Amino acid sequence: MKFRFNVNITPEDYLEFNRIVMSEMPAGKKLIKKERIIISVFTVLCIILILLNEEGSDLIVAVVALLLSAILVQVLITPGMKLFVKLNVKSLTKTQGKMPYTEHSVIEFYDEVFVETSEDNKTEMKYSAIENVFVNDKLVAIFINKMQGYILPVASFESKEQMISLVRFISEKRQRV
């Protein structure tokens, strides 16, 4: 075994993971880009309909109002998504039952695989299953697909050097595959 971590994930860690998915990872950026395009196309279609059906001064007011609301939505879409995720995580913590993440686990990194062991299950993954690794000052996220991953909060590491060593180790293992 190369590394072993006792992982305790908080709702704030899960929120940060989702923030990363939405604003830092390609899948999240693509989703927001699609929403921006849909809003723009909808706005153009509405303006065309207004131009075809309205007359006089109401026409200018309607078009300006629609353009301003579309611009406002475009500006607020990213913060709105973050707020939506935050409210969703907050509502999850208030309900009884299983969270969408493993709150307490042990993750061990071996030469060929890494293993997450929790109270309910044991998952073994090869390094070839890792799609991406994201590191910031709050956590290390090991993505196994575009939206799912393992969360290692900074508190799981003994030091910053250990965190850097793990990221290097994973990078080397992924390159060999």
Side-chain angles (χ1 to χ4, degrees):
M1 174 175 41
K2 299 289 183 180
F3 297 94
R4 182 179 198 277
F5 301 100
N6 292 316
V7 179
N8 296 305
I9 298 174
T10 64
E12 291 77 25
D13 296 327
Y14 185 65
L15 179 61
E16 177 66 10
F17 176 81
N18 280 282
R19 187 201 65 76
I20 291 166
V21 168
M22 294 308 297
S23 60
E24 305 287 341
M25 302 308 293
K29 287 180 178 180
K30 189 175 183 180
L31 177 67
I32 290 175
K33 185 177 181 180
K34 282 181 182 178
E35 289 176 356
R36 288 181 189 277
I37 291 169
I38 290 169
I39 290 167
S40 297
V41 169
F42 179 75
T43 302
V44 169
L45 290 174
C46 287
I47 289 173
I48 291 170
L49 287 172
I50 290 170
L51 290 173
L52 293 174
N53 293 321
E54 291 286 329
E55 294 178 7
S57 63
D58 290 342
L59 174 71
I60 293 171
V61 171
V63 170
V64 169
L66 187 58
L67 282 173
L68 288 176
S69 63
I71 291 168
L72 185 64
V73 169
Q74 292 285 357
V75 168
L76 296 177
I77 196 164
T78 302
M81 291 291 263
K82 291 176 185 176
L83 179 63
F84 173 75
V85 170
K86 187 174 187 174
L87 293 173
N88 193 23
V89 169
K90 199 176 241 187
S91 72
L92 286 172
T93 59
K94 290 180 181 177
T95 62
Q96 298 286 337
K98 202 169 193 172
M99 296 299 284
Y101 57 89
T102 306
E103 293 178 81
H104 309 289
S105 67
V106 173
I107 301 180
E108 299 170 318
F109 293 85
Y110 297 92
D111 280 327
E112 301 301 318
V113 297
F114 64 100
V115 179
E116 179 189 44
T117 307
S118 69
E119 185 178 294
D120 299 329
N121 62 18
K122 184 175 184 174
T123 307
E124 183 176 297
M125 301 290 278
K126 292 184 178 183
Y127 294 102
S128 60
I130 297 174
E131 185 170 302
N132 202 343
V133 178
F134 184 88
V135 181
N136 70 11
D137 60 337
K138 296 179 182 176
L139 57 83
V140 173
I142 303 169
F143 287 91
I144 55 171
N145 63 40
K146 293 175 178 154
M147 304 294 269
Q148 277 184 306
Y150 293 89
I151 303 169
L152 285 133
V154 170
S156 302
F157 297 94
E158 292 174 7
S159 66
K160 189 170 184 163
E161 290 76 26
Q162 185 186 37
M163 184 172 72
I164 292 167
S165 295
L166 173 68
V167 173
R168 278 192 195 133
F169 175 78
I170 293 171
S171 178
E172 290 170 8
K173 292 297 180 181
R174 287 179 65 213
Q175 287 177 359
R176 289 184 190 157
V177 175

